[in-house]
Amino acid sequence: MVNWVLRGAVLLWALFFVIVGARGLFDPASYTETFGIVVEGMATNTIRADLSAFFLVAAGAALVGALVPGWLRALLVPAALYGTALAGRLFGIANGDLVNSGIVQAMIIEALTVLLMIGSWWVLSRPQAGEPIAGDVVH
């Protein structure tokens, strides 16, 4: 039961970030509303490509990790991406970057993402009751 709840939570997380990434791919100005990034001129192409790639790769890896048996390590990809983003924000704060409620909200989402992905990987990769453990199989 816990496995299904975790898989469902990861799938909902992935769906949300597929939407964020796809929206930014087709309309980079949406990142202005969401992240306060000014999207104009040649920067539009970079914002479209880089931010959309971040969200779409993370969501894709989470989908693979939640749905494909034997590919649970894919859940560590979004954990690494969002963990790195969180570390970058903390580094920026330590160096005097301005922080508003949007930044704090992003940091909370990043921290929760890392916990969800690593926690899901950890729980889902454990043998379930009744399953043979790798060393217990007789050949």
Side-chain angles (χ1 to χ4, degrees):
M1 178 68 171
V2 170
N3 288 359
W4 288 108
V5 171
L6 285 173
R7 288 181 194 277
V10 169
L11 291 174
L12 286 175
W13 178 94
L15 176 64
F16 175 75
F17 283 105
V18 162
I19 291 168
V20 171
R23 187 172 171 217
L25 187 64
F26 293 106
D27 179 23
S30 68
Y31 291 134
T32 299
E33 303 163 10
T34 309
F35 303 107
I37 297 171
V38 177
V39 180
E40 57 186 30
M42 288 189 293
T44 302
N45 188 270
T46 300
I47 298 295
R48 177 192 316 267
D50 294 352
L51 280 179
S52 295
F54 179 89
F55 293 120
L56 292 173
V57 167
L63 286 169
V64 168
L67 295 175
V68 180
W71 284 68
L72 288 170
R73 288 185 183 171
L75 295 172
L76 300 177
V77 172
L81 286 168
Y82 282 78
T84 303
L86 178 59
R89 289 186 195 277
L90 293 170
F91 179 79
I93 291 170
N95 284 298
D97 290 357
L98 297 176
V99 177
N100 62 15
S101 61
I103 300 295
V104 172
Q105 179 183 4
M107 292 173 69
I108 292 169
I109 291 169
E110 291 158 357
L112 291 174
T113 292
V114 170
L115 291 174
L116 173 64
M117 296 303 157
I118 291 176
S120 295
W121 166 76
W122 178 260
V123 171
L124 294 172
S125 64
R126 302 292 143 226
Q128 301 205 3
E131 286 184 7
I133 299 174
D136 291 346
V137 179
V138 177
H139 296 294

